[in-house]
């Protein structure tokens, strides 16, 4: 994976699968009820988690983006918070419309 979003950290304690690292995919997975798995310092989508469970080799993790704690928060956790806020706002709006009918 070549994209690094400009971070230049030293202690890369997390590995994030390329699907989760791309914000558009993270948003789509979250809204489609796809799982985001945090396990052994890795953040994996369903597909990468299944690959990891199938043979537990480092091949899956080698394709992941290394991130430090602060970058994980900035690029994954904060993104999830923003997505969740959008989802909750949309749900509130749909409930209000339904109750007005």
């Amino acid at each position: 994976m070549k994209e690094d979003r400009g971070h230049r950290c030293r202690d890369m304690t997390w590995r994030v699968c390329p699907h989760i690292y791309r914000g558009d995919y993270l948003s789509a997975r979250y809204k489609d009820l796809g799982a985001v798995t945090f396990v052994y310092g890795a953040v994996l989508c369903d597909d990468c988690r299944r690959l990891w469970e199938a043979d537990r080799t480092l091949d899956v993790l080698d394709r992941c983006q290394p991130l430090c704690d602060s970058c994980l928060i900035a690029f994954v956790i904060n993104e999830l918070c923003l997505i969740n806020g959008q989802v909750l706002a949309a749900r509130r709006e749909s409930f209000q419309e339904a109750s007005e009918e």
Side-chain angles (χ1 to χ4, degrees):
M1 166 163 272
K2 296 188 190 303
E3 181 185 7
D4 73 1
R5 294 199 190 181
H7 66 273
R8 300 283 183 259
C9 305
R10 293 183 192 167
D11 297 325
M12 303 297 195
T13 56
W14 292 92
R15 307 287 282 181
V16 178
C17 83
H19 308 109
I20 297 296
Y21 190 65
R22 287 189 359 243
D24 57 335
Y25 182 88
L26 180 57
S27 179
R29 294 303 307 155
Y30 186 84
K31 291 175 182 175
D32 289 340
L33 302 178
V36 176
T37 302
F38 288 73
V39 60
Y40 299 122
V43 183
L44 306 170
C45 69
D46 286 338
D47 295 334
C48 289
R49 181 189 49 80
R50 280 189 211 100
L51 288 172
W52 171 251
E53 288 175 346
D55 71 17
R56 303 266 173 149
T57 65
L58 293 178
D59 292 342
V60 172
L61 297 181
D62 285 342
R63 287 182 265 145
C64 292
Q65 176 71 37
L67 294 177
C68 68
D69 293 346
S70 62
C71 290
L72 176 78
I73 291 167
F75 301 137
V76 178
I77 304 301
N78 287 348
E79 184 72 21
L80 279 172
C81 291
L82 288 172
I83 295 164
N84 191 59
Q86 294 167 354
V87 169
L88 289 176
R91 289 192 53 115
R92 269 189 230 115
E93 187 176 304
S94 69
F95 285 135
Q96 288 173 349
E97 289 173 1
S99 65
E100 291 172 359
E101 292 177 354

